[in-house]
Amino acid sequence: MIIYISMILWVILMRVLCSGEMKYSTLPSGGRSYKIRPAVAYITVAYIIFWVGMRSGVADTGAYIDSFEGYQQSLADIPSILVSNAKGQAWIALTVFFKNCISTNYHAWLMVLAIFMGVSVAHCYQRYSEAFFFCMLIFILNGDFTWMLNGMRQFFCVCALMLALPWLIEGKTKHYMLLIAALSLVHFTVWLMAPLYFILRLKPWSKPIWLAMFGVVCACYTASSVASFTEEALQSTSYAGATVFNEGDDGVHPLRVLVAAVPACLAWVIRKRIAAENNTLLNICVNASLFSALLYLFGVFTSGILMGRLPIYCEVFATMTLPVVILRFKNRTYRSLLFSGCLLFYTLYYYANVGSLYYVSDITGFLPPL
């Protein structure tokens, strides 16, 4: 746990040390957004990357390492891997390529993956966020950073889509859909972003958004039927046998839904200002916040194991929503209270959500939860 707390302290330290690097802009609301240089963002995330890349355990890391060491194919086998019915063909192909062309050491493999994921997150938040350091803190406090430790195959897809955010903003549908199709060979859940691509680009709280919300609520009400349909649809894929309902799986904790709903609720309060601004990036962030909460809600009624994995595709963008929305409140006192309140309650949520997470590496040995 001490390693994860040090990540928080590092982001705070970088915020203090780099205060002179921050270029402020005053918004019509009176709030002040800021930008930082890419180098500052990468140095900030470098500390997180180091500990993520150096681990030798934590959650399902052991399973990933066993898989890595078990792949004995050569480069000539990659075409057959890609056309096979194996789960995550492209992930296996990339791993085989890495072992044959770069290194057979799993530490090097974990570090390269950590660099890709960390740099992708830092790049997205540096370029598009209005408060980079706040976003990085929320990324940690909300537990999203744990995807770099657990669920790497899916988070690889999430990070690739973070890099493709310009295509989502500019409406480059063909580019985005081709990327989704390619990433589906890494993790099939990325297909979720195919319909969400069109939904996220809509104006928040418009009729289609309300219709989509109604659809999710209906799906919650008929969860068992939707689950059966999903399981049947997976039978013809490499994910045959996957279940939406698992015995012993209590679903997503309702607290997760409430936390995910915070940015969308704040956006609702100032929805008229957001509508007047009609900023595509802002619209995407608000909608991502809303559907992150709705997907978690569906997970409450189904599975925390399978369905609880889906919201991360929206949640990484929802993280940018908090500072963007708060900065658009006209009252300075409200803005200060909201920023302070978010940091306080997300910190409490962090301890509840991540407090039981241990750390293990060749450097530190096993570090138990606090």
Side-chain angles (χ1 to χ4, degrees), residues 44-80:
T44 301
V45 80
Y47 183 81
I48 300 171
I49 289 172
F50 174 79
W51 289 113
V52 169
M54 289 303 297
R55 77 195 189 281
S56 55
V58 185
D60 65 358
T61 299
Y64 276 108
I65 292 173
D66 289 341
S67 296
F68 176 83
E69 295 184 333
Y71 295 138
Q72 302 298 329
Q73 297 95 326
S74 66
L75 290 176
D77 295 317
I78 290 180
S80 61

mmCIF file of all heavy atoms in Angstrom, residues 44-80:
data_model
loop_
_atom_site.group_PDB
_atom_site.id
_atom_site.type_symbol
_atom_site.label_atom_id
_atom_site.label_comp_id
_atom_site.label_asym_id
_atom_site.label_seq_id
_atom_site.Cartn_x
_atom_site.Cartn_y
_atom_site.Cartn_z
ATOM 1 N N THR A 44 5.770 13.211 -14.535
ATOM 2 C CA THR A 44 4.791 12.919 -13.483
ATOM 3 C C THR A 44 4.381 11.458 -13.503
ATOM 4 O O THR A 44 4.309 10.788 -12.460
ATOM 5 C CB THR A 44 3.547 13.808 -13.639
ATOM 6 O OG1 THR A 44 3.931 15.186 -13.574
ATOM 7 C CG2 THR A 44 2.525 13.514 -12.544
ATOM 8 N N VAL A 45 4.116 10.940 -14.702
ATOM 9 C CA VAL A 45 3.640 9.557 -14.796
ATOM 10 C C VAL A 45 4.791 8.558 -14.729
ATOM 11 O O VAL A 45 4.556 7.359 -14.502
ATOM 12 C CB VAL A 45 2.824 9.366 -16.099
ATOM 13 C CG1 VAL A 45 3.735 9.169 -17.323
ATOM 14 C CG2 VAL A 45 1.845 8.201 -15.978
ATOM 15 N N ALA A 46 6.022 9.035 -14.897
ATOM 16 C CA ALA A 46 7.175 8.119 -14.909
ATOM 17 C C ALA A 46 7.308 7.352 -13.595
ATOM 18 O O ALA A 46 7.679 6.172 -13.597
ATOM 19 C CB ALA A 46 8.461 8.904 -15.201
ATOM 20 N N TYR A 47 7.025 8.012 -12.492
ATOM 21 C CA TYR A 47 7.128 7.349 -11.187
ATOM 22 C C TYR A 47 6.127 6.195 -11.086
ATOM 23 O O TYR A 47 6.449 5.111 -10.590
ATOM 24 C CB TYR A 47 6.882 8.362 -10.069
ATOM 25 C CG TYR A 47 7.027 7.795 -8.678
ATOM 26 C CD1 TYR A 47 8.286 7.642 -8.103
ATOM 27 C CD2 TYR A 47 5.910 7.392 -7.938
ATOM 28 C CE1 TYR A 47 8.427 7.102 -6.819
ATOM 29 C CE2 TYR A 47 6.049 6.866 -6.658
ATOM 30 C CZ TYR A 47 7.311 6.719 -6.111
ATOM 31 O OH TYR A 47 7.445 6.183 -4.851
ATOM 32 N N ILE A 48 4.909 6.437 -11.561
ATOM 33 C CA ILE A 48 3.877 5.393 -11.554
ATOM 34 C C ILE A 48 4.296 4.250 -12.468
ATOM 35 O O ILE A 48 4.177 3.068 -12.114
ATOM 36 C CB ILE A 48 2.518 5.978 -11.995
ATOM 37 C CG1 ILE A 48 2.092 7.091 -11.034
ATOM 38 C CG2 ILE A 48 1.455 4.884 -12.081
ATOM 39 C CD1 ILE A 48 0.878 7.866 -11.494
ATOM 40 N N ILE A 49 4.800 4.597 -13.654
ATOM 41 C CA ILE A 49 5.246 3.586 -14.612
ATOM 42 C C ILE A 49 6.326 2.696 -14.004
ATOM 43 O O ILE A 49 6.312 1.478 -14.177
ATOM 44 C CB ILE A 49 5.773 4.267 -15.893
ATOM 45 C CG1 ILE A 49 4.611 4.886 -16.689
ATOM 46 C CG2 ILE A 49 6.539 3.275 -16.764
ATOM 47 C CD1 ILE A 49 5.060 5.730 -17.861
ATOM 48 N N PHE A 50 7.257 3.310 -13.282
ATOM 49 C CA PHE A 50 8.367 2.542 -12.714
ATOM 50 C C PHE A 50 7.859 1.431 -11.803
ATOM 51 O O PHE A 50 8.239 0.267 -11.953
ATOM 52 C CB PHE A 50 9.303 3.468 -11.930
ATOM 53 C CG PHE A 50 10.395 2.735 -11.206
ATOM 54 C CD1 PHE A 50 11.516 2.299 -11.879
ATOM 55 C CD2 PHE A 50 10.288 2.464 -9.836
ATOM 56 C CE1 PHE A 50 12.528 1.595 -11.214
ATOM 57 C CE2 PHE A 50 11.292 1.769 -9.161
ATOM 58 C CZ PHE A 50 12.410 1.335 -9.859
ATOM 59 N N TRP A 51 6.996 1.763 -10.855
ATOM 60 C CA TRP A 51 6.531 0.760 -9.898
ATOM 61 C C TRP A 51 5.597 -0.252 -10.541
ATOM 62 O O TRP A 51 5.587 -1.429 -10.172
ATOM 63 C CB TRP A 51 5.865 1.444 -8.710
ATOM 64 C CG TRP A 51 6.839 2.149 -7.835
ATOM 65 C CD1 TRP A 51 6.955 3.497 -7.627
ATOM 66 C CD2 TRP A 51 7.883 1.542 -7.049
ATOM 67 N NE1 TRP A 51 7.994 3.770 -6.771
ATOM 68 C CE2 TRP A 51 8.579 2.586 -6.393
ATOM 69 C CE3 TRP A 51 8.286 0.226 -6.827
ATOM 70 C CZ2 TRP A 51 9.651 2.349 -5.553
ATOM 71 C CZ3 TRP A 51 9.367 -0.018 -5.984
ATOM 72 C CH2 TRP A 51 10.034 1.039 -5.358
ATOM 73 N N VAL A 52 4.805 0.196 -11.515
ATOM 74 C CA VAL A 52 3.939 -0.743 -12.224
ATOM 75 C C VAL A 52 4.788 -1.730 -13.026
ATOM 76 O O VAL A 52 4.531 -2.939 -13.037
ATOM 77 C CB VAL A 52 2.967 0.016 -13.153
ATOM 78 C CG1 VAL A 52 2.248 -0.951 -14.093
ATOM 79 C CG2 VAL A 52 1.944 0.795 -12.341
ATOM 80 N N GLY A 53 5.812 -1.220 -13.700
ATOM 81 C CA GLY A 53 6.647 -2.072 -14.531
ATOM 82 C C GLY A 53 7.561 -2.994 -13.753
ATOM 83 O O GLY A 53 7.937 -4.067 -14.244
ATOM 84 N N MET A 54 7.909 -2.622 -12.519
ATOM 85 C CA MET A 54 8.856 -3.413 -11.732
ATOM 86 C C MET A 54 8.192 -4.515 -10.913
ATOM 87 O O MET A 54 8.883 -5.330 -10.301
ATOM 88 C CB MET A 54 9.648 -2.495 -10.782
ATOM 89 C CG MET A 54 10.645 -1.588 -11.482
ATOM 90 S SD MET A 54 11.854 -2.504 -12.482
ATOM 91 C CE MET A 54 12.692 -3.474 -11.222
ATOM 92 N N ARG A 55 6.877 -4.570 -10.888
ATOM 93 C CA ARG A 55 6.206 -5.554 -10.049
ATOM 94 C C ARG A 55 6.457 -6.964 -10.576
ATOM 95 O O ARG A 55 6.724 -7.153 -11.782
ATOM 96 C CB ARG A 55 4.704 -5.274 -9.993
ATOM 97 C CG ARG A 55 3.939 -5.693 -11.234
ATOM 98 C CD ARG A 55 2.560 -5.078 -11.273
ATOM 99 N NE ARG A 55 1.741 -5.630 -12.340
ATOM 100 C CZ ARG A 55 1.842 -5.260 -13.614
ATOM 101 N NH1 ARG A 55 2.732 -4.357 -13.975
ATOM 102 N NH2 ARG A 55 1.037 -5.807 -14.527
ATOM 103 N N SER A 56 6.337 -7.923 -9.701
ATOM 104 C CA SER A 56 6.452 -9.330 -10.108
ATOM 105 C C SER A 56 5.247 -10.134 -9.619
ATOM 106 O O SER A 56 5.230 -11.355 -9.704
ATOM 107 C CB SER A 56 7.746 -9.942 -9.551
ATOM 108 O OG SER A 56 7.822 -9.793 -8.146
ATOM 109 N N GLY A 57 4.272 -9.422 -9.095
ATOM 110 C CA GLY A 57 3.048 -10.050 -8.646
ATOM 111 C C GLY A 57 1.920 -9.043 -8.727
ATOM 112 O O GLY A 57 1.891 -8.218 -9.625
ATOM 113 N N VAL A 58 0.980 -9.073 -7.810
ATOM 114 C CA VAL A 58 -0.194 -8.193 -7.692
ATOM 115 C C VAL A 58 -1.327 -8.677 -8.601
ATOM 116 O O VAL A 58 -1.190 -8.705 -9.835
ATOM 117 C CB VAL A 58 0.125 -6.720 -7.999
ATOM 118 C CG1 VAL A 58 -1.118 -5.870 -7.729
ATOM 119 C CG2 VAL A 58 1.318 -6.217 -7.188
ATOM 120 N N ALA A 59 -2.421 -9.060 -7.980
ATOM 121 C CA ALA A 59 -3.649 -9.459 -8.678
ATOM 122 C C ALA A 59 -3.335 -10.539 -9.730
ATOM 123 O O ALA A 59 -2.721 -11.541 -9.419
ATOM 124 C CB ALA A 59 -4.324 -8.241 -9.268
ATOM 125 N N ASP A 60 -3.744 -10.296 -10.998
ATOM 126 C CA ASP A 60 -3.564 -11.345 -12.010
ATOM 127 C C ASP A 60 -2.233 -11.227 -12.749
ATOM 128 O O ASP A 60 -2.055 -11.838 -13.807
ATOM 129 C CB ASP A 60 -4.734 -11.364 -12.997
ATOM 130 C CG ASP A 60 -4.825 -10.090 -13.835
ATOM 131 O OD1 ASP A 60 -4.004 -9.177 -13.632
ATOM 132 O OD2 ASP A 60 -5.730 -10.011 -14.693
ATOM 133 N N THR A 61 -1.282 -10.457 -12.203
ATOM 134 C CA THR A 61 0.032 -10.322 -12.831
ATOM 135 C C THR A 61 0.709 -11.682 -12.983
ATOM 136 O O THR A 61 1.352 -11.964 -14.002
ATOM 137 C CB THR A 61 0.938 -9.381 -12.017
ATOM 138 O OG1 THR A 61 0.345 -8.089 -11.961
ATOM 139 C CG2 THR A 61 2.320 -9.274 -12.641
ATOM 140 N N GLY A 62 0.572 -12.524 -11.958
ATOM 141 C CA GLY A 62 1.179 -13.846 -12.022
ATOM 142 C C GLY A 62 0.686 -14.654 -13.207
ATOM 143 O O GLY A 62 1.472 -15.348 -13.878
ATOM 144 N N ALA A 63 -0.608 -14.569 -13.500
ATOM 145 C CA ALA A 63 -1.177 -15.292 -14.634
ATOM 146 C C ALA A 63 -0.624 -14.751 -15.950
ATOM 147 O O ALA A 63 -0.344 -15.516 -16.888
ATOM 148 C CB ALA A 63 -2.706 -15.178 -14.614
ATOM 149 N N TYR A 64 -0.468 -13.417 -16.027
ATOM 150 C CA TYR A 64 0.108 -12.816 -17.233
ATOM 151 C C TYR A 64 1.554 -13.267 -17.422
ATOM 152 O O TYR A 64 1.992 -13.538 -18.552
ATOM 153 C CB TYR A 64 0.046 -11.291 -17.148
ATOM 154 C CG TYR A 64 -1.276 -10.707 -17.581
ATOM 155 C CD1 TYR A 64 -2.170 -10.171 -16.657
ATOM 156 C CD2 TYR A 64 -1.641 -10.683 -18.922
ATOM 157 C CE1 TYR A 64 -3.387 -9.639 -17.052
ATOM 158 C CE2 TYR A 64 -2.846 -10.157 -19.332
ATOM 159 C CZ TYR A 64 -3.723 -9.630 -18.392
ATOM 160 O OH TYR A 64 -4.927 -9.105 -18.789
ATOM 161 N N ILE A 65 2.304 -13.335 -16.340
ATOM 162 C CA ILE A 65 3.702 -13.765 -16.427
ATOM 163 C C ILE A 65 3.777 -15.222 -16.876
ATOM 164 O O ILE A 65 4.604 -15.583 -17.740
ATOM 165 C CB ILE A 65 4.407 -13.576 -15.070
ATOM 166 C CG1 ILE A 65 4.541 -12.085 -14.750
ATOM 167 C CG2 ILE A 65 5.787 -14.232 -15.086
ATOM 168 C CD1 ILE A 65 5.076 -11.801 -13.360
ATOM 169 N N ASP A 66 2.929 -16.079 -16.315
ATOM 170 C CA ASP A 66 2.911 -17.488 -16.709
ATOM 171 C C ASP A 66 2.589 -17.636 -18.197
ATOM 172 O O ASP A 66 3.201 -18.452 -18.899
ATOM 173 C CB ASP A 66 1.882 -18.257 -15.880
ATOM 174 C CG ASP A 66 2.318 -18.423 -14.425
ATOM 175 O OD1 ASP A 66 3.520 -18.269 -14.147
ATOM 176 O OD2 ASP A 66 1.441 -18.692 -13.579
ATOM 177 N N SER A 67 1.624 -16.832 -18.670
ATOM 178 C CA SER A 67 1.275 -16.882 -20.091
ATOM 179 C C SER A 67 2.442 -16.429 -20.954
ATOM 180 O O SER A 67 2.761 -17.039 -21.976
ATOM 181 C CB SER A 67 0.052 -16.001 -20.361
ATOM 182 O OG SER A 67 -1.082 -16.486 -19.685
ATOM 183 N N PHE A 68 3.094 -15.347 -20.527
ATOM 184 C CA PHE A 68 4.235 -14.812 -21.269
ATOM 185 C C PHE A 68 5.328 -15.864 -21.401
ATOM 186 O O PHE A 68 5.866 -16.093 -22.495
ATOM 187 C CB PHE A 68 4.782 -13.568 -20.559
ATOM 188 C CG PHE A 68 6.020 -12.994 -21.180
ATOM 189 C CD1 PHE A 68 5.934 -12.132 -22.259
ATOM 190 C CD2 PHE A 68 7.285 -13.312 -20.684
ATOM 191 C CE1 PHE A 68 7.078 -11.598 -22.843
ATOM 192 C CE2 PHE A 68 8.428 -12.792 -21.250
ATOM 193 C CZ PHE A 68 8.326 -11.922 -22.337
ATOM 194 N N GLU A 69 5.652 -16.517 -20.312
ATOM 195 C CA GLU A 69 6.724 -17.505 -20.338
ATOM 196 C C GLU A 69 6.302 -18.789 -21.053
ATOM 197 O O GLU A 69 7.155 -19.567 -21.503
ATOM 198 C CB GLU A 69 7.179 -17.807 -18.908
ATOM 199 C CG GLU A 69 7.816 -16.595 -18.228
ATOM 200 C CD GLU A 69 8.357 -16.903 -16.843
ATOM 201 O OE1 GLU A 69 7.817 -17.838 -16.212
ATOM 202 O OE2 GLU A 69 9.292 -16.209 -16.406
ATOM 203 N N GLY A 70 4.999 -18.981 -21.174
ATOM 204 C CA GLY A 70 4.513 -20.190 -21.838
ATOM 205 C C GLY A 70 4.474 -20.099 -23.352
ATOM 206 O O GLY A 70 4.430 -21.129 -24.042
ATOM 207 N N TYR A 71 4.484 -18.882 -23.898
ATOM 208 C CA TYR A 71 4.459 -18.722 -25.352
ATOM 209 C C TYR A 71 5.828 -19.066 -25.926
ATOM 210 O O TYR A 71 6.813 -18.376 -25.687
ATOM 211 C CB TYR A 71 4.078 -17.293 -25.733
ATOM 212 C CG TYR A 71 2.671 -16.904 -25.323
ATOM 213 C CD1 TYR A 71 2.416 -15.643 -24.776
ATOM 214 C CD2 TYR A 71 1.609 -17.772 -25.495
ATOM 215 C CE1 TYR A 71 1.133 -15.282 -24.388
ATOM 216 C CE2 TYR A 71 0.323 -17.421 -25.116
ATOM 217 C CZ TYR A 71 0.093 -16.176 -24.564
ATOM 218 O OH TYR A 71 -1.180 -15.819 -24.184
ATOM 219 N N GLN A 72 5.891 -20.131 -26.718
ATOM 220 C CA GLN A 72 7.151 -20.584 -27.300
ATOM 221 C C GLN A 72 7.152 -20.493 -28.826
ATOM 222 O O GLN A 72 8.064 -20.992 -29.478
ATOM 223 C CB GLN A 72 7.413 -22.040 -26.877
ATOM 224 C CG GLN A 72 7.459 -22.265 -25.375
ATOM 225 C CD GLN A 72 8.586 -21.493 -24.698
ATOM 226 O OE1 GLN A 72 9.639 -21.252 -25.295
ATOM 227 N NE2 GLN A 72 8.366 -21.095 -23.445
ATOM 228 N N GLN A 73 6.152 -19.851 -29.395
ATOM 229 C CA GLN A 73 6.061 -19.778 -30.846
ATOM 230 C C GLN A 73 7.145 -18.873 -31.431
ATOM 231 O O GLN A 73 7.719 -18.030 -30.752
ATOM 232 C CB GLN A 73 4.686 -19.250 -31.275
ATOM 233 C CG GLN A 73 3.525 -20.146 -30.872
ATOM 234 C CD GLN A 73 2.887 -19.735 -29.557
ATOM 235 O OE1 GLN A 73 3.587 -19.263 -28.652
ATOM 236 N NE2 GLN A 73 1.585 -19.901 -29.453
ATOM 237 N N SER A 74 7.368 -19.044 -32.726
ATOM 238 C CA SER A 74 8.334 -18.220 -33.448
ATOM 239 C C SER A 74 7.592 -17.135 -34.231
ATOM 240 O O SER A 74 6.348 -17.122 -34.292
ATOM 241 C CB SER A 74 9.144 -19.083 -34.414
ATOM 242 O OG SER A 74 8.313 -19.591 -35.442
ATOM 243 N N LEU A 75 8.353 -16.246 -34.853
ATOM 244 C CA LEU A 75 7.744 -15.184 -35.663
ATOM 245 C C LEU A 75 6.911 -15.768 -36.800
ATOM 246 O O LEU A 75 5.903 -15.182 -37.204
ATOM 247 C CB LEU A 75 8.835 -14.273 -36.222
ATOM 248 C CG LEU A 75 9.573 -13.382 -35.225
ATOM 249 C CD1 LEU A 75 10.698 -12.622 -35.926
ATOM 250 C CD2 LEU A 75 8.622 -12.404 -34.558
ATOM 251 N N ALA A 76 7.324 -16.906 -37.318
ATOM 252 C CA ALA A 76 6.598 -17.530 -38.425
ATOM 253 C C ALA A 76 5.200 -17.993 -38.008
ATOM 254 O O ALA A 76 4.322 -18.194 -38.863
ATOM 255 C CB ALA A 76 7.395 -18.718 -38.964
ATOM 256 N N ASP A 77 4.965 -18.136 -36.710
ATOM 257 C CA ASP A 77 3.661 -18.593 -36.212
ATOM 258 C C ASP A 77 2.654 -17.457 -36.055
ATOM 259 O O ASP A 77 1.464 -17.718 -35.842
ATOM 260 C CB ASP A 77 3.827 -19.283 -34.851
ATOM 261 C CG ASP A 77 4.649 -20.551 -34.945
ATOM 262 O OD1 ASP A 77 4.418 -21.308 -35.894
ATOM 263 O OD2 ASP A 77 5.518 -20.770 -34.073
ATOM 264 N N ILE A 78 3.113 -16.205 -36.138
ATOM 265 C CA ILE A 78 2.227 -15.067 -35.881
ATOM 266 C C ILE A 78 1.021 -15.026 -36.816
ATOM 267 O O ILE A 78 -0.114 -14.822 -36.356
ATOM 268 C CB ILE A 78 3.025 -13.748 -35.915
ATOM 269 C CG1 ILE A 78 3.941 -13.671 -34.693
ATOM 270 C CG2 ILE A 78 2.082 -12.542 -35.963
ATOM 271 C CD1 ILE A 78 4.783 -12.413 -34.615
ATOM 272 N N PRO A 79 1.185 -15.212 -38.156
ATOM 273 C CA PRO A 79 -0.014 -15.198 -39.027
ATOM 274 C C PRO A 79 -1.062 -16.228 -38.618
ATOM 275 O O PRO A 79 -2.264 -15.932 -38.614
ATOM 276 C CB PRO A 79 0.576 -15.505 -40.415
ATOM 277 C CG PRO A 79 1.981 -15.003 -40.334
ATOM 278 C CD PRO A 79 2.418 -15.336 -38.931
ATOM 279 N N SER A 80 -0.619 -17.426 -38.254
ATOM 280 C CA SER A 80 -1.586 -18.458 -37.861
ATOM 281 C C SER A 80 -2.243 -18.125 -36.531
ATOM 282 O O SER A 80 -3.417 -18.463 -36.307
ATOM 283 C CB SER A 80 -0.894 -19.825 -37.775
ATOM 284 O OG SER A 80 0.143 -19.812 -36.808
#
